[in-house]
Amino acid sequence: LGHISTGVISVDRQGTITTINQHAAELLKVTPETYLNRPVRELLTVDYFRLFVELLKNMQEYKLESIRKELTVNISGESLPLSLNLSI
């Protein structure tokens, strides 16, 4: 994941963060080690966590293997495009 130019955060089925690449850490202004093996709800704002949960529910309800949502996030006053991809 270190050579990917996109921010990537991997989460297991229990909602625990399993990987954070350097680009994601830089975008979010966090140290990856701080959040590894921690619940994703500790990293995401309440609004983004709600979106994450909503997408997971849609995946379960419609028996989807993956789902994608495009949005814009505001990080430290800068608007950045975000592609939220969930897959199992």
Side-chain angles (χ1 to χ4, degrees), residues 11-43:
V11 179
D12 66 16
R13 290 179 185 259
Q14 289 75 38
T16 301
I17 297 171
T18 56
T19 60
I20 303 176
N21 75 352
Q22 191 58 41
H23 194 70
E26 290 169 5
L27 287 171
L28 296 170
K29 299 182 182 355
V30 299
T31 305
E33 297 77 23
T34 302
Y35 290 97
L36 283 178
N37 301 311
R38 306 289 305 168
V40 70
R41 70 179 176 278
E42 292 181 12
L43 177 62

Side-chain angles (χ1 to χ4, degrees), residues 20-74:
I20 303 176
N21 75 352
Q22 191 58 41
H23 194 70
E26 290 169 5
L27 287 171
L28 296 170
K29 299 182 182 355
V30 299
T31 305
E33 297 77 23
T34 302
Y35 290 97
L36 283 178
N37 301 311
R38 306 289 305 168
V40 70
R41 70 179 176 278
E42 292 181 12
L43 177 62
L44 301 177
T45 65
V46 172
D47 290 335
Y48 293 129
F49 183 68
R50 285 183 185 142
L51 176 60
F52 176 79
V53 170
E54 178 185 319
L55 291 174
L56 281 177
K57 285 180 182 178
N58 285 338
M59 285 179 69
Q60 292 171 343
E61 181 179 343
Y62 298 107
K63 297 179 179 23
L64 303 172
E65 291 185 13
S66 65
I67 194 167
R68 180 178 179 154
K69 177 140 180 104
E70 303 287 333
L71 57 141
T72 302
V73 296
N74 187 325

